């Protein structure tokens, strides 16, 4: 109880996730990575004005291939 008050519940959730995921197969890991990246791309389109203007959410959602989804996102430099 004392540790949870200091470290917070997010710490213990992350620790449990890491403990379980270290034994995932390569396919399971790739699947989780693709799902997490997909969530991040959708978040960017929904919440960041620059990406909202540059990328269509429907294009992101209709594609199954993560490489195709990434190809819709422009490569950024310090100069936009």
């Amino acid at each position: 109880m004392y540790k949870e008050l200091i470290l917070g519940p997010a710490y213990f959730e992350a620790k449990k996730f890491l403990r379980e995921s270290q034994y995932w197969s390569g396919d399971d890991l790739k699947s989780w990575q693709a799902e997490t990246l997909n969530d991040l791309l959708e978040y960017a389109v929904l919440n960041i004005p620059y990406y909202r203007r540059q990328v269509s959410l429907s294009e992101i959602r209709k594609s199954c291939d993560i490489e195709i989804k990434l190809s819709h996102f422009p490569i950024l430099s310090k100069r936009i």
Side-chain angles (χ1 to χ4, degrees), residues 24-60:
W24 287 355
S25 68
D27 289 339
D28 288 342
L29 181 59
K30 284 182 182 180
S31 177
W32 176 82
Q33 288 173 333
E35 183 180 325
T36 303
L37 181 57
N38 188 56
D39 291 346
L40 178 65
L41 296 177
E42 284 194 19
Y43 178 88
V45 172
L46 291 171
N47 295 289
I48 300 171
Y50 177 78
Y51 289 119
R52 196 176 309 130
R53 290 189 304 271
Q54 300 294 324
V55 181
S56 166
L57 185 59
S58 62
E59 290 176 3
I60 299 302

